């Protein structure tokens, strides 16, 4: 039983760092958004795993469902920003976002 | 959650729902509804806080720990100033209804953040706040605003992930998300590694959202790029509520002063000091007014985080008082920068000069606000900085106390440079520029009056902070 939870946390860390790597190396804003999504999935897995470990699954499930809803809203807002950005700047390259300096 | 404060969340939300229907054909109705809602809330709150019978009853009629109440008051005060100002700033705006609607939702979310009593609800309200902020930053559809919003988005979303993972570790070791659970957990003895790591991750998320020094990259861009009244809203209250409030709350819950979470407290104090230094030094060499104010904001946040990291009752009330003062003086300065943007058409400090006679009200309210920021008595900023430095000295962090004092002088230096470049000096650039209209000056003058009044009535506020926060904090 304990071993499977250790495996859970191993995969959570792995997914988290895959998402972080995706954010760090890609120049496309869209890929950065995908990296963010992967990271937040690791967060959700962590919550459900710790809920199962402390036999607090009902609380964890309620939390997860709320978090999924919040995440959808945030991603929709983010995609709207990216779409607006593409319409104005005609590019999804993150290195083109350098108008503000000081 | 304080049940009495629920109305302060629900009423703005209701007004936000009403606005798109009521103001469909007449956009002006949107500003009237928004202003009336916020004014009613503010009047109600002011009655609660400033009731003369409070002193006689030594604040026993104020529910809860007083922190939430003061924060709700601050939120309404800043939001009313911003909404009133933007009603006259924009002229015909394309999406007026949406703007005021989002403003009210943001107020409701902030009130939710400060009245909740568990970390998970806190997280939800903060996400709602972040989504409204993305939309508000891009109000004027410029490419700069969009860039600021995207940078804000890309840095605050990983912060949310960090908060979620921290919450799951909290669930693992503490067994729940509520403040009560954490309190009981801490009273049971020294926390274990997993709990500390979880709280550390939550703190990291809130530090990124607050824009404290190593994570401050998004702050200047978001403030500079956004629609002018919205940058006031962001700098004055949104980033403070979404980051700093939770940091102070965690410092209260984790009892940083008793040394059980020494590593976290020490890190927090170091980051606070770093933030003071980085913000002040970077502000010295800025050319753009809004960007300079953003760095100054980072520097002032450092004082709050420094005091929160120390965690003694005196340091905590000093941090809360500085949070309130920061909201007042930063609102004045950012609203003045918006007035300048409208009057002079630029926020580049090198292109302005000698505006003192053209814009006397803007000039003198800026002087009041900057003296308060730099900590000149008898203005409000002096008292909170004094309390922070005294608390640091008494808490044994003498090096930090001296450095905080030193950088307070640097604060005065960069604000003097700003004032000289924009308002004093040669009159060459001032031709054809005149003072903005009276309704746009009203919020600034109100806030300046608040700064002076809080400075002069300091004993009352000190009594409020001690009686309602420091004494009830003993858990």
């Amino acid at each position: 039983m304990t071993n499977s939870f250790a495996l859970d946390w191993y995969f959570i860390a792995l997914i988290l760092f895959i998402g972080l790597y995706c954010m760090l190396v890609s120049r496309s804003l869209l890929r950065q958004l995908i990296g963010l999504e992967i990271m937040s999935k690791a967060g959700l897995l962590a919550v459900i795993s710790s809920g199962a470990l402390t036999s607090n699954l009902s609380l964890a499930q309620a939390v997860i469902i709320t978090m999924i809803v919040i995440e959808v809203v945030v991603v929709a807002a983010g995609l709207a920003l990216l779409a607006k950005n593409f319409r104005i700047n005609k590019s999804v390259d993150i290195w083109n976002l350098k108008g503000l300096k000081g | 959650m304080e049940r009495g404060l629920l109305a302060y969340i629900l009423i703005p939300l209701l007004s936000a729902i009403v606005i798109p229907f009521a103001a469909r054909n007449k956009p002006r109705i949107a500003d009237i509804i928004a202003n009336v809602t916020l004014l009613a809330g503010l009047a109600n709150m002011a009655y609660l806080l400033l009731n003369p019978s409070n002193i006689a009853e030594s604040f026993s009629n104020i529910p809860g720990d007083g922190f939430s109440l003061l924060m709700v008051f601050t939120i309404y005060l800043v939001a009313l100033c911003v909404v009133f100002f933007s009603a006259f700033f924009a002229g015909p705006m394309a999406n007026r209804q949406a703007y005021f609607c989002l403003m009210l939702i943001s107020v409701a979310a902030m009130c939710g953040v400060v009245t909740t009593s568990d970390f998970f609800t806190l997280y939800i309200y903060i996400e709602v706040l972040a989504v409204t902020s993305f939309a508000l930053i891009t109000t004027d559809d410029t490419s700069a605003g969009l860039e600021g919003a995207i940078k804000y988005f890309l840095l605050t979303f990983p912060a949310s992930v960090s908060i979620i993972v921290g919450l799951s570790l909290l669930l693992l070791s503490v067994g729940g998300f509520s403040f009560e659970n954490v309190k009981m957990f801490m009273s049971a003895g020294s926390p274990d590694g997993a709990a500390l790591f979880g709280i550390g991750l939550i703190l990291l998320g809130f530090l990124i959202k607050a824009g404290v020094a190593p994570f401050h990259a998004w702050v200047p861009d978001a403030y500079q790029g956004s629609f002018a009244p919205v940058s006031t809203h962001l700098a004055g209250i949104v980033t403070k509520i979404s980051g700093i409030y939770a940091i102070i709350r965690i410092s209260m819950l984790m009892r940083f002063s008793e040394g059980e979470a020494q590593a976290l407290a020490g890190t927090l104090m170091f980051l606070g000091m770093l933030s003071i230094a980085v913000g002040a030094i970077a502000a010295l060499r800025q050319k753009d007014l809004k960007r300079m104010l953003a760095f100054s904001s980072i520097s002032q946040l450092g004082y709050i985080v420094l005091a929160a990291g120390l965690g003694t009752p005196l340091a905590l009330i000093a941090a809360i008082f500085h949070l309130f003062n920061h909201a007042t003086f930063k609102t004045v300065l950012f609203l003045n920068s918006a007035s300048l943007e409208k009057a002079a058409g630029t926020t580049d400090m090198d292109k302005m000069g000698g505006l003192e006679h053209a814009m006397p009200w803007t000039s003198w309210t800026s002087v009041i606000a900057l003296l308060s920021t730099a900590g000149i008595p008898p203005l409000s900023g002096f008292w909170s900085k004094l309390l922070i430095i005294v608390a640091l000295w008494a808490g044994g962090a003498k090096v930090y106390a001296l450095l905080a004092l030193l950088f307070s002088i640097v604060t005065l230096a960069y604000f003097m440079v700003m004032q000289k470049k924009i308002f004093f000096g040669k009159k060459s650039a001032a031709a054809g520029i005149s003072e903005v209209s009276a309704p746009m000056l009203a919020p600034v003058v109100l806030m300046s009056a608040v700064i002076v009044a809080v400075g002069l009535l300091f004993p009352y506020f000190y009594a409020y902070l001690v009686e309602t926060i420091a004494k009830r904090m003993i858990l």
Side-chain angles (χ1 to χ4, degrees), chain B residues 19 23 26-37 83-84 86-88 93 96-97 100:
Chain B
I19 281 176
K26 289 180 182 152
R28 280 282 167 191
I29 291 176
D31 8 317
I32 294 170
I33 294 176
N35 276 310
V36 166
T37 309
V83 165
F84 191 81
S86 45
F88 294 93
M93 227 191 306
R96 210 178 182 94
Q97 294 93 334
F100 286 104

Side-chain angles (χ1 to χ4, degrees), chain B residues 48-206:
Chain B
L48 267 181
L49 270 181
L50 303 173
N51 199 335
S53 66
N54 281 352
I55 300 173
E57 296 169 28
S58 69
F59 300 97
S60 58
N61 48 350
I62 286 180
D65 61 359
F67 186 17
S68 307
L69 207 65
L70 186 64
M71 284 298 110
V72 173
F73 176 73
T74 319
I75 292 164
Y76 272 81
L77 186 62
V78 175
L80 178 66
C81 284
V82 173
V83 165
F84 191 81
F85 184 89
S86 45
F88 294 93
F89 178 78
M93 227 191 306
N95 42 6
R96 210 178 182 94
Q97 294 93 334
Y99 174 77
F100 286 104
C101 188
L102 281 169
M103 215 57 164
L104 286 175
I105 295 174
S106 140
V107 169
M110 281 189 283
C111 289
V113 168
V114 298
T115 54
T116 178
S117 64
D118 71 292
F119 281 113
F120 179 64
T121 321
L122 189 70
Y123 163 78
I124 291 176
Y125 280 122
I126 280 177
E127 289 300 294
V128 174
L129 186 55
V131 170
T132 54
S133 308
F134 303 147
L136 280 173
I137 291 174
T138 58
T139 301
D140 56 354
D141 278 343
T142 56
S143 132
L146 205 53
E147 184 182 335
I150 288 175
K151 282 178 179 166
Y152 184 38
F153 177 76
L154 288 178
L155 278 162
T156 56
F157 202 25
S160 309
V161 174
S162 165
I163 294 172
I164 299 176
V165 177
L167 283 177
S168 75
L169 287 167
L170 206 64
L171 182 63
L172 199 62
S173 54
V174 178
F177 299 125
S178 75
F179 293 165
E180 207 60 40
N181 285 14
V182 179
K183 240 187 244 179
M184 275 161 59
F185 179 74
M186 289 304 292
S187 61
S190 287
D192 57 353
L196 277 186
F197 186 54
I199 294 282
L201 281 176
I202 295 177
L203 267 181
L204 173 68
F206 286 125

